[in-house]
Amino acid sequence: MKLIEVKDLSFSYDENIPVLSDISFALEEGTYTVIVGHNGSGKSTLAKLLAGLLAPNKGEIKIGGTALNADTIESMRAHIGIVFQNPDNQFIGSTVRDDIAFGLENHLVPSVKMDEIINTYAAYVSMQDYLDKEPSSLSGGQKQRVAIAGVLAMQPSILLLDEATSMLDPKGRKEVGELIHALHQKKQLTILSITHDIEETRFADNVIVLNKGKIYRFAKAEKLFENPDDLKNIGLDIPYIYELRAKYAKYGIHLRSRDIEGMAEELWQLNLKK
Ligand SMILES: Nc1ncnc2c1ncn2[C@@H]1O[C@H](COP(=O)(O)OP(=O)(O)OP(=O)(O)O)[C@@H](O)[C@H]1O
Ligand SMILES: [Mg+2]
């Protein structure tokens, strides 16, 4: 089923300056999509439109077949959980438990049920041992994991991340990256992740490249990086593994791995066959 359908979407903050123009794409339920593009290409604006925080000037967004508009927006907001860039701006409670519970309390979930939900989602993000800790004592990666648990506790159909890893150190980025990957693989969650980290595209089903407010490419990662110059022409890098693949392809060696270890193994096996 197509969970997200965007058709001919255009938006501008100031009527003379288009920020997004004629954006159309559709995403299947359970897929993991990464959105990349330069600063100012309109990624966060698109996220806000999808979350119903902004209204389009033209075009339509449908979530699960229902169009987002003034009449449906209140009920539709619950379908999209958003995690933003700065982990410190997402905390309200004095403990990790309070933070995960925050959205639930607003939805009048009975307290017995609430404990169960908090424990479940804290375990999803491997933070079950930190429930009584103060959020300020956590690392950046742990804070983002708690933020993700709080959003998931609301049981959205879509998890939308706007540069959720960009303020983290390499360890935090790896932790959160792996969590996103696991949520997709094990929980079949529909994930839309905006990032500047091109390496994140390696495990995505789809990649959307935004350039100057337009969709430059919408493709499977495998397909998109087949021709490295396509992205380099607009000044974007491609994941290191695909750089390597392209180099080997020039010599007629077509590798399929999405990580270095797998690639080393593939090369080793080829060597054995010779
Ligand atoms: N609230 C606003 N009012 C006016 N213009 C805005 C507003 N927010 C963003 N813009 C402009 O809209 C354009 C797209 O911004 P947006 O934040 O969507 O880009 P982005 O791709 O998320 O960039 P970044 O990678 O820097 O986060 C930019 O030119 C920006 O200056
Ligand atoms: Mg942005």
Side-chain angles (χ1 to χ4, degrees):
M1 187 193 83
K2 299 259 187 277
L3 187 59
I4 304 176
E5 292 165 279
V6 174
K7 201 154 178 278
D8 302 328
L9 189 73
S10 295
F11 180 83
S12 52
Y13 293 97
D14 168 333
E15 60 184 276
N16 302 316
I17 312 166
V19 169
L20 292 172
S21 320
D22 298 319
I23 303 284
S24 297
F25 61 88
L27 303 176
E28 291 284 327
E29 185 170 18
T31 52
Y32 171 20
T33 304
V34 170
I35 303 179
V36 294
H38 291 295
N39 293 116
S41 57
K43 305 179 299 294
S44 295
T45 303
L46 178 60
K48 286 175 192 154
L49 286 159
L50 288 169
L53 301 172
L54 291 173
N57 301 127
K58 186 174 135 303
E60 188 177 59
I61 297 172
K62 280 187 183 172
I63 309 281
T66 304
L68 279 188
N69 57 41
D71 297 330
T72 58
I73 194 71
E74 278 309 316
S75 60
M76 296 307 289
R77 276 206 187 114
H79 288 279
I80 300 200
I82 319 185
V83 178
F84 293 103
Q85 184 172 33
N86 189 341
D88 293 321
N89 290 350
Q90 330 214 27
F91 291 103
I92 308 105
S94 56
T95 63
V96 166
R97 184 190 308 279
D98 290 349
D99 264 306
I100 299 178
F102 180 74
L104 295 169
E105 279 168 357
N106 285 346
H107 279 70
L108 305 171
V109 175
S111 63
V112 185
K113 190 118 183 43
M114 194 129 91
D115 279 342
E116 192 185 311
I117 300 175
I118 292 168
N119 292 334
T120 304
Y121 289 97
Y124 260 38
V125 301
S126 310
M127 289 298 287
Q128 64 275 29
D129 298 336
Y130 294 81
L131 285 173
D132 297 314
K133 294 261 185 305
E134 273 179 47
S136 60
S137 70
L138 305 178
S139 72
Q142 289 172 330
K143 285 177 187 167
Q144 284 304 60
R145 276 151 54 200
V146 170
I148 290 171
V151 162
L152 293 180
M154 309 293 293
Q155 298 182 294
S157 24
I158 299 155
L159 176 63
L160 180 57
L161 304 133
D162 190 355
E163 309 215 24
T165 61
S166 67
M167 288 180 75
L168 305 180
D169 60 15
K171 182 168 170 279
R173 191 169 294 179
K174 185 161 180 286
E175 275 170 24
V176 176
E178 283 169 359
L179 169 64
I180 296 169
H181 190 206
L183 287 171
H184 170 237
Q185 295 265 305
K186 297 196 192 117
K187 310 289 179 194
Q188 307 283 302
L189 197 67
T190 306
I191 301 173
L192 204 54
S193 174
I194 293 167
T195 182
H196 275 112
D197 181 9
I198 198 77
E199 295 298 327
E200 206 190 309
T201 58
R202 285 189 297 148
F203 299 104
D205 298 308
N206 311 304
V207 182
I208 297 177
V209 183
L210 274 186
N211 194 43
K212 298 180 181 158
K214 293 197 163 89
I215 292 194
Y216 178 73
R217 293 288 176 268
F218 174 72
K220 304 257 173 245
E222 300 277 323
K223 204 85 207 130
L224 182 65
F225 304 129
E226 226 168 50
N227 171 12
D229 290 340
D230 190 31
L231 285 198
K232 289 189 179 159
N233 286 340
I234 58 162
L236 290 177
D237 286 330
I238 69 165
Y240 178 61
I241 196 90
Y242 287 92
E243 292 267 11
L244 281 177
R245 278 206 215 179
K247 284 196 177 125
Y248 278 104
K250 283 190 184 149
Y251 297 98
I253 302 170
H254 297 282
L255 302 168
R256 307 209 54 79
S257 301
R258 290 204 252 181
D259 55 39
I260 289 291
E261 294 75 18
M263 189 176 262
E265 178 65 26
E266 265 187 279
L267 287 168
W268 175 247
Q269 294 294 338
L270 281 173
N271 206 22
L272 286 181
K273 277 186 204 147
K274 272 197 192 153

